[in-house]
Structure formats: structure tokens, C-alpha cells
Amino acid sequence: MTDDDRVFKALADPSRRFLLDLLFARDGRTLTELESELEMTRFGVAKHLRVLEEAGLVVVRRSGREKLHFLNPVPIRQIHDRWIDKFTEHQVTALIDLKRQLEEEP
């Protein structure tokens, strides 16, 4: 499985996207904090976090006895640059050309 495949797989699940949203709002959360926001077992949340870690979307740091989870936005940006940005470039260029043509007309 490629890195892109792992990221797409991780983003495909709404619970994992919700976890990413929580970490975006406030980084450095524990499993207990994240679990309190979802209606699923601790094991279920841990499993989702593991998928996010494997995709590189979440980074874990130990602080004493706690594991803190942090959002890593780099893989999402790489997906954007590779899969979204190139498809919008043509439309943006077309709009700029149209604007230029309209401004040049008497």
C-alpha cells in the first residue's frame, strides 16, 4: 500500500475525520480526551488513531505516562498538491485569461 493509499483510507472514515477535526481544534490530546468526544469504545478510538498514525496524519508523543496525539497536516497537503491542485490549475488559468480579455475589450 502506498502512502497516498494509507491517507485516502484513513480519510475515508467519518470517525477518523472527526478525530482529525478534534486535533485541529486543539492538538496534544490524550486517548481519554478523544474517546470522550465519540460514542465508541476506547479500543475503537485507539484503533482509529492507529490507522491515522500509520497514514502519518497523527503523531504521538509520550509525556510521562500519557500519550499525546498531534495532527500532522503534511500528508493532507501532499494529497492536495498532487490530486486537487493540478485539477484546479486549468480552471484558474481560464478565469485569469477571461478576466484579462474582458479588461482589454473597449
Side-chain angles (χ1 to χ4, degrees):
M1 188 179 289
T2 68
D3 290 343
D4 284 356
D5 291 336
R6 286 183 189 89
V7 173
F8 280 117
K9 177 185 174 189
L11 294 174
D13 186 274
S15 295
R16 290 192 285 265
R17 291 192 305 269
F18 183 69
L19 286 168
L20 292 175
D21 287 338
L22 291 173
L23 292 174
F24 178 79
R26 188 172 58 80
D27 245 353
R29 294 185 189 222
T30 64
L31 174 59
T32 303
E33 290 175 278
L34 294 168
E35 174 193 4
S36 70
E37 300 285 340
L38 287 163
E39 292 186 22
M40 68 175 59
T41 65
R42 183 176 183 85
F43 178 76
V45 175
K47 190 174 177 180
H48 283 300
L49 286 170
R50 196 170 323 115
V51 172
L52 292 168
E53 283 180 63
E54 289 170 0
L57 294 166
V58 169
V59 177
V60 176
R61 290 191 201 136
R62 287 212 173 265
S63 176
R65 293 175 43 177
E66 294 181 321
K67 277 176 67 174
L68 302 177
H69 300 84
F70 295 87
L71 174 66
N72 178 19
V74 173
I76 294 173
R77 180 57 193 238
Q78 290 172 324
I79 292 291
H80 174 271
D81 291 350
R82 180 172 179 204
W83 293 101
I84 297 170
D85 204 32
K86 72 179 178 183
F87 292 109
T88 59
E89 184 177 335
H90 177 70
Q91 287 86 348
V92 171
T93 303
L95 288 173
I96 291 171
D97 291 344
L98 177 61
K99 179 182 182 285
R100 189 176 301 124
Q101 288 175 356
L102 292 172
E103 290 174 346
E104 289 174 1
E105 289 181 8

